[in-house]
Amino acid sequence: MVKVGNVEIKGDVTLSPMAGISDSPYRRIARRYGSAFSYTEFVSTEQILLGNQKSIDMFRFKEIERPISFQIFGSDLNTVVEAAKRIEPLGPDIIDLNMGCSVSKVSHHGSGAGLLRNLPLAGQMIEGIRKSVSVPVTAKIRLGWDEENLNYKESVHILQESGVSAISVHGRTKSMAYTGKADWESIGDIKSFAKVPIFGNGDVASYGEAKEKIRKYKVDLVLIGRKAIGNPWIFSERDKSSVSFAEIKKVVIEHLLTMLDFYPSDDDYGLILFRKHFAKYVEGTNFPKDLKSQMLQTNSLNMFLQLFSNYEQTETNTKLETIELNDSLNCETYLVDV
């Protein structure tokens, strides 16, 4: 069990926050399969103060998702603090400040990983939020802006002095984005001197790998991002290769219907949003490429369900192929308008 302030987290492997991925429908499925707690997608503090309903709706959640952390980002101290005060009545258990997003239109404007170049401001934000809300405040960081500016020790020191309750660390620099390999040795270094819980993140491809990272680097919890897309079984100690296609099919339909309910519209908007999930659910199986292409192109819910329901996988095509980590799937790919 991990304690973040007064919040108890039962478990040590969880779904990483990802724009366009970690919405309420998928968080519910991940939690049911064993994800320890929930992060929302990150939301612009400017849009919160403008009353942008689309942005505020990103904080919607169901009780099954608790404990839940609302993740926000911004570059202006007063805006960030006021936004945190605005969203507290929506019921978060934790509020998390994103200091790790590497996408240029966020980081180059001083938000996300941009705060790694203005640590005094980041510290003021954490302190300001902490003094303005009654829930614990956490932060997610990277190791630094680039290899010449690995300032994670200073980052952790300032955040701790500002009253942060836990820190998530992505083992890359801003300039690396999602290329190269995550530096878990540096994450372990952070854990060796940190006074608050440390969550590690980067290149974890299975539950077993997550537990090994915890054992080797002593982190309190591991976040799994890209490898959890289309694979909630990763949180239940099951390898996707052992999951029957019938079960995959059942979860796909459940996930789709939940998204349609969560994103009501006259044009089956939930189906369009679901496509990226579907592509990952069937990735690694021998699902026919032409059928997959047809399903990804249709805007008709009835057609999508008909095509999928009519397909029956046989014993000769159920084996999953070994696949490499798809570096194209990251927060930059699915970044919402900010």
Side-chain angles (χ1 to χ4, degrees), residues 1-5 7 9 138-139 156 160 164-169 190-191 194-200 218-221:
M1 183 181 70
V2 182
K3 286 205 72 173
V4 177
V7 177
I9 297 174
T138 62
V156 172
Q160 288 183 155
V164 79
S165 291
I167 301 172
S168 301
V169 185
I190 290 173
K191 177 57 187 175
K195 299 176 183 178
V196 297
I198 297 298
F199 304 162
K218 312 302 181 184
V219 292
D220 299 274
L221 186 145

mmCIF file with all atom_site columns, all heavy atoms in Angstrom, residues 1-5 7 9 138-139 156 160 164-169 190-191 194-200 218-221:
data_model
loop_
_atom_site.group_PDB
_atom_site.id
_atom_site.type_symbol
_atom_site.label_atom_id
_atom_site.label_alt_id
_atom_site.label_comp_id
_atom_site.label_asym_id
_atom_site.label_entity_id
_atom_site.label_seq_id
_atom_site.pdbx_PDB_ins_code
_atom_site.Cartn_x
_atom_site.Cartn_y
_atom_site.Cartn_z
_atom_site.occupancy
_atom_site.B_iso_or_equiv
_atom_site.pdbx_formal_charge
_atom_site.auth_seq_id
_atom_site.auth_comp_id
_atom_site.auth_asym_id
_atom_site.auth_atom_id
_atom_site.pdbx_PDB_model_num
ATOM 1   N N   . MET A 1 1   ? 0.841  -1.196 0.000   1.00 0.00 ? 1   MET A N   1
ATOM 2   C CA  . MET A 1 1   ? 0.000  0.000  0.000   1.00 0.00 ? 1   MET A CA  1
ATOM 3   C C   . MET A 1 1   ? 0.881  1.254  0.000   1.00 0.00 ? 1   MET A C   1
ATOM 4   O O   . MET A 1 1   ? 1.898  1.310  0.685   1.00 0.00 ? 1   MET A O   1
ATOM 5   C CB  . MET A 1 1   ? -0.924 0.020  1.215   1.00 0.00 ? 1   MET A CB  1
ATOM 6   C CG  . MET A 1 1   ? -1.877 1.208  1.256   1.00 0.00 ? 1   MET A CG  1
ATOM 7   S SD  . MET A 1 1   ? -2.921 1.213  2.716   1.00 0.00 ? 1   MET A SD  1
ATOM 8   C CE  . MET A 1 1   ? -1.711 1.589  3.979   1.00 0.00 ? 1   MET A CE  1
ATOM 9   N N   . VAL A 1 2   ? 0.488  2.245  -0.767  1.00 0.00 ? 2   VAL A N   1
ATOM 10  C CA  . VAL A 1 2   ? 1.201  3.515  -0.854  1.00 0.00 ? 2   VAL A CA  1
ATOM 11  C C   . VAL A 1 2   ? 0.307  4.609  -0.276  1.00 0.00 ? 2   VAL A C   1
ATOM 12  O O   . VAL A 1 2   ? -0.891 4.649  -0.551  1.00 0.00 ? 2   VAL A O   1
ATOM 13  C CB  . VAL A 1 2   ? 1.546  3.858  -2.323  1.00 0.00 ? 2   VAL A CB  1
ATOM 14  C CG1 . VAL A 1 2   ? 2.329  5.158  -2.388  1.00 0.00 ? 2   VAL A CG1 1
ATOM 15  C CG2 . VAL A 1 2   ? 2.312  2.725  -2.980  1.00 0.00 ? 2   VAL A CG2 1
ATOM 16  N N   . LYS A 1 3   ? 0.895  5.494  0.517   1.00 0.00 ? 3   LYS A N   1
ATOM 17  C CA  . LYS A 1 3   ? 0.129  6.619  1.054   1.00 0.00 ? 3   LYS A CA  1
ATOM 18  C C   . LYS A 1 3   ? 0.589  7.912  0.394   1.00 0.00 ? 3   LYS A C   1
ATOM 19  O O   . LYS A 1 3   ? 1.777  8.247  0.405   1.00 0.00 ? 3   LYS A O   1
ATOM 20  C CB  . LYS A 1 3   ? 0.316  6.717  2.571   1.00 0.00 ? 3   LYS A CB  1
ATOM 21  C CG  . LYS A 1 3   ? -0.432 5.643  3.351   1.00 0.00 ? 3   LYS A CG  1
ATOM 22  C CD  . LYS A 1 3   ? -0.734 6.084  4.770   1.00 0.00 ? 3   LYS A CD  1
ATOM 23  C CE  . LYS A 1 3   ? -1.820 7.154  4.807   1.00 0.00 ? 3   LYS A CE  1
ATOM 24  N NZ  . LYS A 1 3   ? -2.255 7.495  6.186   1.00 0.00 ? 3   LYS A NZ  1
ATOM 25  N N   . VAL A 1 4   ? -0.351 8.617  -0.205  1.00 0.00 ? 4   VAL A N   1
ATOM 26  C CA  . VAL A 1 4   ? -0.104 9.924  -0.795  1.00 0.00 ? 4   VAL A CA  1
ATOM 27  C C   . VAL A 1 4   ? -0.875 10.919 0.046   1.00 0.00 ? 4   VAL A C   1
ATOM 28  O O   . VAL A 1 4   ? -2.095 11.053 -0.090  1.00 0.00 ? 4   VAL A O   1
ATOM 29  C CB  . VAL A 1 4   ? -0.559 9.971  -2.266  1.00 0.00 ? 4   VAL A CB  1
ATOM 30  C CG1 . VAL A 1 4   ? -0.352 11.367 -2.840  1.00 0.00 ? 4   VAL A CG1 1
ATOM 31  C CG2 . VAL A 1 4   ? 0.188  8.935  -3.097  1.00 0.00 ? 4   VAL A CG2 1
ATOM 32  N N   . GLY A 1 5   ? -0.173 11.591 0.943   1.00 0.00 ? 5   GLY A N   1
ATOM 33  C CA  . GLY A 1 5   ? -0.880 12.413 1.909   1.00 0.00 ? 5   GLY A CA  1
ATOM 34  C C   . GLY A 1 5   ? -1.762 11.507 2.754   1.00 0.00 ? 5   GLY A C   1
ATOM 35  O O   . GLY A 1 5   ? -1.303 10.531 3.335   1.00 0.00 ? 5   GLY A O   1
ATOM 36  N N   . VAL A 1 7   ? -4.266 9.816  1.401   1.00 0.00 ? 7   VAL A N   1
ATOM 37  C CA  . VAL A 1 7   ? -4.911 8.899  0.456   1.00 0.00 ? 7   VAL A CA  1
ATOM 38  C C   . VAL A 1 7   ? -4.152 7.579  0.408   1.00 0.00 ? 7   VAL A C   1
ATOM 39  O O   . VAL A 1 7   ? -2.937 7.554  0.162   1.00 0.00 ? 7   VAL A O   1
ATOM 40  C CB  . VAL A 1 7   ? -4.974 9.518  -0.957  1.00 0.00 ? 7   VAL A CB  1
ATOM 41  C CG1 . VAL A 1 7   ? -5.585 8.529  -1.946  1.00 0.00 ? 7   VAL A CG1 1
ATOM 42  C CG2 . VAL A 1 7   ? -5.781 10.808 -0.927  1.00 0.00 ? 7   VAL A CG2 1
ATOM 43  N N   . ILE A 1 9   ? -3.381 4.092  -1.398  1.00 0.00 ? 9   ILE A N   1
ATOM 44  C CA  . ILE A 1 9   ? -3.439 3.427  -2.706  1.00 0.00 ? 9   ILE A CA  1
ATOM 45  C C   . ILE A 1 9   ? -3.076 1.968  -2.505  1.00 0.00 ? 9   ILE A C   1
ATOM 46  O O   . ILE A 1 9   ? -1.954 1.648  -2.099  1.00 0.00 ? 9   ILE A O   1
ATOM 47  C CB  . ILE A 1 9   ? -2.490 4.097  -3.703  1.00 0.00 ? 9   ILE A CB  1
ATOM 48  C CG1 . ILE A 1 9   ? -2.914 5.550  -3.947  1.00 0.00 ? 9   ILE A CG1 1
ATOM 49  C CG2 . ILE A 1 9   ? -2.462 3.320  -5.020  1.00 0.00 ? 9   ILE A CG2 1
ATOM 50  C CD1 . ILE A 1 9   ? -1.951 6.332  -4.814  1.00 0.00 ? 9   ILE A CD1 1
ATOM 51  N N   . THR A 1 138 ? 0.459  16.406 -6.013  1.00 0.00 ? 138 THR A N   1
ATOM 52  C CA  . THR A 1 138 ? 1.597  15.649 -6.527  1.00 0.00 ? 138 THR A CA  1
ATOM 53  C C   . THR A 1 138 ? 2.092  16.301 -7.814  1.00 0.00 ? 138 THR A C   1
ATOM 54  O O   . THR A 1 138 ? 1.496  17.253 -8.315  1.00 0.00 ? 138 THR A O   1
ATOM 55  C CB  . THR A 1 138 ? 1.216  14.182 -6.790  1.00 0.00 ? 138 THR A CB  1
ATOM 56  O OG1 . THR A 1 138 ? 0.180  14.138 -7.789  1.00 0.00 ? 138 THR A OG1 1
ATOM 57  C CG2 . THR A 1 138 ? 0.703  13.511 -5.522  1.00 0.00 ? 138 THR A CG2 1
ATOM 58  N N   . ALA A 1 139 ? 3.188  15.775 -8.351  1.00 0.00 ? 139 ALA A N   1
ATOM 59  C CA  . ALA A 1 139 ? 3.723  16.298 -9.606  1.00 0.00 ? 139 ALA A CA  1
ATOM 60  C C   . ALA A 1 139 ? 4.308  15.164 -10.423 1.00 0.00 ? 139 ALA A C   1
ATOM 61  O O   . ALA A 1 139 ? 4.775  14.159 -9.883  1.00 0.00 ? 139 ALA A O   1
ATOM 62  C CB  . ALA A 1 139 ? 4.797  17.349 -9.335  1.00 0.00 ? 139 ALA A CB  1
ATOM 63  N N   . VAL A 1 156 ? 13.324 17.618 -7.489  1.00 0.00 ? 156 VAL A N   1
ATOM 64  C CA  . VAL A 1 156 ? 12.745 16.890 -6.362  1.00 0.00 ? 156 VAL A CA  1
ATOM 65  C C   . VAL A 1 156 ? 12.892 17.693 -5.073  1.00 0.00 ? 156 VAL A C   1
ATOM 66  O O   . VAL A 1 156 ? 11.954 17.779 -4.262  1.00 0.00 ? 156 VAL A O   1
ATOM 67  C CB  . VAL A 1 156 ? 13.409 15.502 -6.222  1.00 0.00 ? 156 VAL A CB  1
ATOM 68  C CG1 . VAL A 1 156 ? 12.961 14.816 -4.929  1.00 0.00 ? 156 VAL A CG1 1
ATOM 69  C CG2 . VAL A 1 156 ? 13.062 14.634 -7.436  1.00 0.00 ? 156 VAL A CG2 1
ATOM 70  N N   . GLN A 1 160 ? 9.680  18.973 -2.968  1.00 0.00 ? 160 GLN A N   1
ATOM 71  C CA  . GLN A 1 160 ? 9.496  18.503 -1.592  1.00 0.00 ? 160 GLN A CA  1
ATOM 72  C C   . GLN A 1 160 ? 9.396  19.682 -0.628  1.00 0.00 ? 160 GLN A C   1
ATOM 73  O O   . GLN A 1 160 ? 8.543  19.686 0.275   1.00 0.00 ? 160 GLN A O   1
ATOM 74  C CB  . GLN A 1 160 ? 10.657 17.590 -1.186  1.00 0.00 ? 160 GLN A CB  1
ATOM 75  C CG  . GLN A 1 160 ? 10.618 16.235 -1.861  1.00 0.00 ? 160 GLN A CG  1
ATOM 76  C CD  . GLN A 1 160 ? 11.725 15.309 -1.395  1.00 0.00 ? 160 GLN A CD  1
ATOM 77  O OE1 . GLN A 1 160 ? 11.592 14.102 -1.459  1.00 0.00 ? 160 GLN A OE1 1
ATOM 78  N NE2 . GLN A 1 160 ? 12.835 15.854 -0.918  1.00 0.00 ? 160 GLN A NE2 1
ATOM 79  N N   . VAL A 1 164 ? 4.983  18.903 -1.828  1.00 0.00 ? 164 VAL A N   1
ATOM 80  C CA  . VAL A 1 164 ? 4.433  17.859 -2.691  1.00 0.00 ? 164 VAL A CA  1
ATOM 81  C C   . VAL A 1 164 ? 4.291  16.553 -1.902  1.00 0.00 ? 164 VAL A C   1
ATOM 82  O O   . VAL A 1 164 ? 5.093  16.263 -1.005  1.00 0.00 ? 164 VAL A O   1
ATOM 83  C CB  . VAL A 1 164 ? 5.344  17.666 -3.931  1.00 0.00 ? 164 VAL A CB  1
ATOM 84  C CG1 . VAL A 1 164 ? 6.577  16.824 -3.596  1.00 0.00 ? 164 VAL A CG1 1
ATOM 85  C CG2 . VAL A 1 164 ? 4.588  17.052 -5.093  1.00 0.00 ? 164 VAL A CG2 1
ATOM 86  N N   . SER A 1 165 ? 3.262  15.779 -2.212  1.00 0.00 ? 165 SER A N   1
ATOM 87  C CA  . SER A 1 165 ? 2.996  14.538 -1.472  1.00 0.00 ? 165 SER A CA  1
ATOM 88  C C   . SER A 1 165 ? 3.537  13.300 -2.165  1.00 0.00 ? 165 SER A C   1
ATOM 89  O O   . SER A 1 165 ? 3.666  12.241 -1.527  1.00 0.00 ? 165 SER A O   1
ATOM 90  C CB  . SER A 1 165 ? 1.490  14.370 -1.243  1.00 0.00 ? 165 SER A CB  1
ATOM 91  O OG  . SER A 1 165 ? 1.020  15.342 -0.327  1.00 0.00 ? 165 SER A OG  1
ATOM 92  N N   . ALA A 1 166 ? 3.852  13.383 -3.445  1.00 0.00 ? 166 ALA A N   1
ATOM 93  C CA  . ALA A 1 166 ? 4.447  12.276 -4.194  1.00 0.00 ? 166 ALA A CA  1
ATOM 94  C C   . ALA A 1 166 ? 4.914  12.834 -5.527  1.00 0.00 ? 166 ALA A C   1
ATOM 95  O O   . ALA A 1 166 ? 4.413  13.871 -5.987  1.00 0.00 ? 166 ALA A O   1
ATOM 96  C CB  . ALA A 1 166 ? 3.459  11.128 -4.413  1.00 0.00 ? 166 ALA A CB  1
ATOM 97  N N   . ILE A 1 167 ? 5.872  12.147 -6.150  1.00 0.00 ? 167 ILE A N   1
ATOM 98  C CA  . ILE A 1 167 ? 6.397  12.594 -7.435  1.00 0.00 ? 167 ILE A CA  1
ATOM 99  C C   . ILE A 1 167 ? 6.474  11.402 -8.390  1.00 0.00 ? 167 ILE A C   1
ATOM 100 O O   . ILE A 1 167 ? 7.018  10.355 -8.038  1.00 0.00 ? 167 ILE A O   1
ATOM 101 C CB  . ILE A 1 167 ? 7.807  13.211 -7.289  1.00 0.00 ? 167 ILE A CB  1
ATOM 102 C CG1 . ILE A 1 167 ? 7.781  14.409 -6.346  1.00 0.00 ? 167 ILE A CG1 1
ATOM 103 C CG2 . ILE A 1 167 ? 8.355  13.624 -8.654  1.00 0.00 ? 167 ILE A CG2 1
ATOM 104 C CD1 . ILE A 1 167 ? 9.158  14.947 -5.994  1.00 0.00 ? 167 ILE A CD1 1
ATOM 105 N N   . SER A 1 168 ? 5.913  11.574 -9.581  1.00 0.00 ? 168 SER A N   1
ATOM 106 C CA  . SER A 1 168 ? 6.054  10.578 -10.644 1.00 0.00 ? 168 SER A CA  1
ATOM 107 C C   . SER A 1 168 ? 7.198  11.016 -11.544 1.00 0.00 ? 168 SER A C   1
ATOM 108 O O   . SER A 1 168 ? 7.311  12.197 -11.879 1.00 0.00 ? 168 SER A O   1
ATOM 109 C CB  . SER A 1 168 ? 4.763  10.476 -11.480 1.00 0.00 ? 168 SER A CB  1
ATOM 110 O OG  . SER A 1 168 ? 3.668  10.127 -10.663 1.00 0.00 ? 168 SER A OG  1
ATOM 111 N N   . VAL A 1 169 ? 8.031  10.070 -11.935 1.00 0.00 ? 169 VAL A N   1
ATOM 112 C CA  . VAL A 1 169 ? 9.211  10.389 -12.733 1.00 0.00 ? 169 VAL A CA  1
ATOM 113 C C   . VAL A 1 169 ? 9.223  9.590  -14.027 1.00 0.00 ? 169 VAL A C   1
ATOM 114 O O   . VAL A 1 169 ? 9.264  8.359  -13.997 1.00 0.00 ? 169 VAL A O   1
ATOM 115 C CB  . VAL A 1 169 ? 10.513 10.095 -11.964 1.00 0.00 ? 169 VAL A CB  1
ATOM 116 C CG1 . VAL A 1 169 ? 11.719 10.551 -12.784 1.00 0.00 ? 169 VAL A CG1 1
ATOM 117 C CG2 . VAL A 1 169 ? 10.511 10.761 -10.595 1.00 0.00 ? 169 VAL A CG2 1
ATOM 118 N N   . ILE A 1 190 ? 16.767 8.914  -7.663  1.00 0.00 ? 190 ILE A N   1
ATOM 119 C CA  . ILE A 1 190 ? 15.781 9.804  -7.040  1.00 0.00 ? 190 ILE A CA  1
ATOM 120 C C   . ILE A 1 190 ? 15.158 9.135  -5.818  1.00 0.00 ? 190 ILE A C   1
ATOM 121 O O   . ILE A 1 190 ? 15.046 9.741  -4.743  1.00 0.00 ? 190 ILE A O   1
ATOM 122 C CB  . ILE A 1 190 ? 14.690 10.197 -8.057  1.00 0.00 ? 190 ILE A CB  1
ATOM 123 C CG1 . ILE A 1 190 ? 15.270 11.136 -9.114  1.00 0.00 ? 190 ILE A CG1 1
ATOM 124 C CG2 . ILE A 1 190 ? 13.493 10.842 -7.348  1.00 0.00 ? 190 ILE A CG2 1
ATOM 125 C CD1 . ILE A 1 190 ? 14.323 11.439 -10.252 1.00 0.00 ? 190 ILE A CD1 1
ATOM 126 N N   . LYS A 1 191 ? 14.788 7.885  -5.958  1.00 0.00 ? 191 LYS A N   1
ATOM 127 C CA  . LYS A 1 191 ? 14.170 7.167  -4.837  1.00 0.00 ? 191 LYS A CA  1
ATOM 128 C C   . LYS A 1 191 ? 15.120 7.076  -3.653  1.00 0.00 ? 191 LYS A C   1
ATOM 129 O O   . LYS A 1 191 ? 14.696 7.122  -2.488  1.00 0.00 ? 191 LYS A O   1
ATOM 130 C CB  . LYS A 1 191 ? 13.732 5.773  -5.289  1.00 0.00 ? 191 LYS A CB  1
ATOM 131 C CG  . LYS A 1 191 ? 13.133 4.913  -4.173  1.00 0.00 ? 191 LYS A CG  1
ATOM 132 C CD  . LYS A 1 191 ? 11.935 5.586  -3.515  1.00 0.00 ? 191 LYS A CD  1
ATOM 133 C CE  . LYS A 1 191 ? 11.464 4.803  -2.292  1.00 0.00 ? 191 LYS A CE  1
ATOM 134 N NZ  . LYS A 1 191 ? 10.378 5.500  -1.561  1.00 0.00 ? 191 LYS A NZ  1
ATOM 135 N N   . ALA A 1 194 ? 14.837 10.687 -2.001  1.00 0.00 ? 194 ALA A N   1
ATOM 136 C CA  . ALA A 1 194 ? 13.537 11.352 -1.879  1.00 0.00 ? 194 ALA A CA  1
ATOM 137 C C   . ALA A 1 194 ? 12.898 11.082 -0.519  1.00 0.00 ? 194 ALA A C   1
ATOM 138 O O   . ALA A 1 194 ? 13.074 10.017 0.079   1.00 0.00 ? 194 ALA A O   1
ATOM 139 C CB  . ALA A 1 194 ? 12.607 10.896 -2.987  1.00 0.00 ? 194 ALA A CB  1
ATOM 140 N N   . LYS A 1 195 ? 12.136 12.054 -0.056  1.00 0.00 ? 195 LYS A N   1
ATOM 141 C CA  . LYS A 1 195 ? 11.430 11.940 1.214   1.00 0.00 ? 195 LYS A CA  1
ATOM 142 C C   . LYS A 1 195 ? 9.944  11.652 1.017   1.00 0.00 ? 195 LYS A C   1
ATOM 143 O O   . LYS A 1 195 ? 9.208  11.500 1.993   1.00 0.00 ? 195 LYS A O   1
ATOM 144 C CB  . LYS A 1 195 ? 11.609 13.241 2.003   1.00 0.00 ? 195 LYS A CB  1
ATOM 145 C CG  . LYS A 1 195 ? 13.062 13.567 2.330   1.00 0.00 ? 195 LYS A CG  1
ATOM 146 C CD  . LYS A 1 195 ? 13.169 14.914 3.032   1.00 0.00 ? 195 LYS A CD  1
ATOM 147 C CE  . LYS A 1 195 ? 14.624 15.278 3.307   1.00 0.00 ? 195 LYS A CE  1
ATOM 148 N NZ  . LYS A 1 195 ? 14.748 16.626 3.949   1.00 0.00 ? 195 LYS A NZ  1
ATOM 149 N N   . VAL A 1 196 ? 9.502  11.626 -0.241  1.00 0.00 ? 196 VAL A N   1
ATOM 150 C CA  . VAL A 1 196 ? 8.095  11.350 -0.548  1.00 0.00 ? 196 VAL A CA  1
ATOM 151 C C   . VAL A 1 196 ? 8.030  10.133 -1.472  1.00 0.00 ? 196 VAL A C   1
ATOM 152 O O   . VAL A 1 196 ? 9.047  9.755  -2.068  1.00 0.00 ? 196 VAL A O   1
ATOM 153 C CB  . VAL A 1 196 ? 7.423  12.567 -1.223  1.00 0.00 ? 196 VAL A CB  1
ATOM 154 C CG1 . VAL A 1 196 ? 7.420  13.763 -0.294  1.00 0.00 ? 196 VAL A CG1 1
ATOM 155 C CG2 . VAL A 1 196 ? 8.112  12.902 -2.546  1.00 0.00 ? 196 VAL A CG2 1
ATOM 156 N N   . PRO A 1 197 ? 6.872  9.509  -1.610  1.00 0.00 ? 197 PRO A N   1
ATOM 157 C CA  . PRO A 1 197 ? 6.753  8.374  -2.525  1.00 0.00 ? 197 PRO A CA  1
ATOM 158 C C   . PRO A 1 197 ? 7.162  8.748  -3.945  1.00 0.00 ? 197 PRO A C   1
ATOM 159 O O   . PRO A 1 197 ? 6.848  9.847  -4.421  1.00 0.00 ? 197 PRO A O   1
ATOM 160 C CB  . PRO A 1 197 ? 5.265  8.009  -2.448  1.00 0.00 ? 197 PRO A CB  1
ATOM 161 C CG  . PRO A 1 197 ? 4.846  8.478  -1.082  1.00 0.00 ? 197 PRO A CG  1
ATOM 162 C CD  . PRO A 1 197 ? 5.618  9.738  -0.852  1.00 0.00 ? 197 PRO A CD  1
ATOM 163 N N   . ILE A 1 198 ? 7.852  7.833  -4.612  1.00 0.00 ? 198 ILE A N   1
ATOM 164 C CA  . ILE A 1 198 ? 8.300  8.042  -5.982  1.00 0.00 ? 198 ILE A CA  1
ATOM 165 C C   . ILE A 1 198 ? 7.684  6.975  -6.876  1.00 0.00 ? 198 ILE A C   1
ATOM 166 O O   . ILE A 1 198 ? 7.781  5.776  -6.596  1.00 0.00 ? 198 ILE A O   1
ATOM 167 C CB  . ILE A 1 198 ? 9.841  7.972  -6.086  1.00 0.00 ? 198 ILE A CB  1
ATOM 168 C CG1 . ILE A 1 198 ? 10.480 9.087  -5.258  1.00 0.00 ? 198 ILE A CG1 1
ATOM 169 C CG2 . ILE A 1 198 ? 10.283 8.056  -7.553  1.00 0.00 ? 198 ILE A CG2 1
ATOM 170 C CD1 . ILE A 1 198 ? 10.132 10.499 -5.690  1.00 0.00 ? 198 ILE A CD1 1
ATOM 171 N N   . PHE A 1 199 ? 7.040  7.440  -7.953  1.00 0.00 ? 199 PHE A N   1
ATOM 172 C CA  . PHE A 1 199 ? 6.432  6.552  -8.941  1.00 0.00 ? 199 PHE A CA  1
ATOM 173 C C   . PHE A 1 199 ? 7.295  6.569  -10.193 1.00 0.00 ? 199 PHE A C   1
ATOM 174 O O   . PHE A 1 199 ? 7.609  7.640  -10.717 1.00 0.00 ? 199 PHE A O   1
ATOM 175 C CB  . PHE A 1 199 ? 5.015  7.006  -9.302  1.00 0.00 ? 199 PHE A CB  1
ATOM 176 C CG  . PHE A 1 199 ? 4.068  7.150  -8.133  1.00 0.00 ? 199 PHE A CG  1
ATOM 177 C CD1 . PHE A 1 199 ? 2.901  7.892  -8.261  1.00 0.00 ? 199 PHE A CD1 1
ATOM 178 C CD2 . PHE A 1 199 ? 4.331  6.556  -6.906  1.00 0.00 ? 199 PHE A CD2 1
ATOM 179 C CE1 . PHE A 1 199 ? 2.025  8.039  -7.193  1.00 0.00 ? 199 PHE A CE1 1
ATOM 180 C CE2 . PHE A 1 199 ? 3.454  6.686  -5.827  1.00 0.00 ? 199 PHE A CE2 1
ATOM 181 C CZ  . PHE A 1 199 ? 2.304  7.432  -5.976  1.00 0.00 ? 199 PHE A CZ  1
ATOM 182 N N   . GLY A 1 200 ? 7.700  5.402  -10.676 1.00 0.00 ? 200 GLY A N   1
ATOM 183 C CA  . GLY A 1 200 ? 8.536  5.327  -11.860 1.00 0.00 ? 200 GLY A CA  1
ATOM 184 C C   . GLY A 1 200 ? 7.736  5.060  -13.119 1.00 0.00 ? 200 GLY A C   1
ATOM 185 O O   . GLY A 1 200 ? 6.716  4.375  -13.093 1.00 0.00 ? 200 GLY A O   1
ATOM 186 N N   . LYS A 1 218 ? 13.399 0.176  -5.991  1.00 0.00 ? 218 LYS A N   1
ATOM 187 C CA  . LYS A 1 218 ? 12.736 0.531  -4.730  1.00 0.00 ? 218 LYS A CA  1
ATOM 188 C C   . LYS A 1 218 ? 11.656 1.597  -4.865  1.00 0.00 ? 218 LYS A C   1
ATOM 189 O O   . LYS A 1 218 ? 11.254 2.211  -3.867  1.00 0.00 ? 218 LYS A O   1
ATOM 190 C CB  . LYS A 1 218 ? 13.767 0.998  -3.683  1.00 0.00 ? 218 LYS A CB  1
ATOM 191 C CG  . LYS A 1 218 ? 14.975 0.089  -3.521  1.00 0.00 ? 218 LYS A CG  1
ATOM 192 C CD  . LYS A 1 218 ? 14.585 -1.328 -3.147  1.00 0.00 ? 218 LYS A CD  1
ATOM 193 C CE  . LYS A 1 218 ? 15.826 -2.201 -2.969  1.00 0.00 ? 218 LYS A CE  1
ATOM 194 N NZ  . LYS A 1 218 ? 15.464 -3.621 -2.703  1.00 0.00 ? 218 LYS A NZ  1
ATOM 195 N N   . VAL A 1 219 ? 11.198 1.853  -6.098  1.00 0.00 ? 219 VAL A N   1
ATOM 196 C CA  . VAL A 1 219 ? 10.126 2.839  -6.265  1.00 0.00 ? 219 VAL A CA  1
ATOM 197 C C   . VAL A 1 219 ? 8.863  2.334  -5.590  1.00 0.00 ? 219 VAL A C   1
ATOM 198 O O   . VAL A 1 219 ? 8.673  1.133  -5.386  1.00 0.00 ? 219 VAL A O   1
ATOM 199 C CB  . VAL A 1 219 ? 9.858  3.144  -7.755  1.00 0.00 ? 219 VAL A CB  1
ATOM 200 C CG1 . VAL A 1 219 ? 11.040 3.870  -8.376  1.00 0.00 ? 219 VAL A CG1 1
ATOM 201 C CG2 . VAL A 1 219 ? 9.544  1.861  -8.534  1.00 0.00 ? 219 VAL A CG2 1
ATOM 202 N N   . ASP A 1 220 ? 7.997  3.254  -5.245  1.00 0.00 ? 220 ASP A N   1
ATOM 203 C CA  . ASP A 1 220 ? 6.776  2.890  -4.524  1.00 0.00 ? 220 ASP A CA  1
ATOM 204 C C   . ASP A 1 220 ? 5.685  2.370  -5.439  1.00 0.00 ? 220 ASP A C   1
ATOM 205 O O   . ASP A 1 220 ? 4.806  1.614  -5.003  1.00 0.00 ? 220 ASP A O   1
ATOM 206 C CB  . ASP A 1 220 ? 6.261  4.116  -3.761  1.00 0.00 ? 220 ASP A CB  1
ATOM 207 C CG  . ASP A 1 220 ? 7.279  4.605  -2.747  1.00 0.00 ? 220 ASP A CG  1
ATOM 208 O OD1 . ASP A 1 220 ? 7.285  4.084  -1.619  1.00 0.00 ? 220 ASP A OD1 1
ATOM 209 O OD2 . ASP A 1 220 ? 8.079  5.495  -3.084  1.00 0.00 ? 220 ASP A OD2 1
ATOM 210 N N   . LEU A 1 221 ? 5.726  2.785  -6.696  1.00 0.00 ? 221 LEU A N   1
ATOM 211 C CA  . LEU A 1 221 ? 4.673  2.407  -7.638  1.00 0.00 ? 221 LEU A CA  1
ATOM 212 C C   . LEU A 1 221 ? 5.211  2.604  -9.050  1.00 0.00 ? 221 LEU A C   1
ATOM 213 O O   . LEU A 1 221 ? 6.096  3.426  -9.273  1.00 0.00 ? 221 LEU A O   1
ATOM 214 C CB  . LEU A 1 221 ? 3.437  3.266  -7.390  1.00 0.00 ? 221 LEU A CB  1
ATOM 215 C CG  . LEU A 1 221 ? 2.147  2.989  -8.153  1.00 0.00 ? 221 LEU A CG  1
ATOM 216 C CD1 . LEU A 1 221 ? 0.935  3.271  -7.256  1.00 0.00 ? 221 LEU A CD1 1
ATOM 217 C CD2 . LEU A 1 221 ? 2.055  3.864  -9.404  1.00 0.00 ? 221 LEU A CD2 1
#
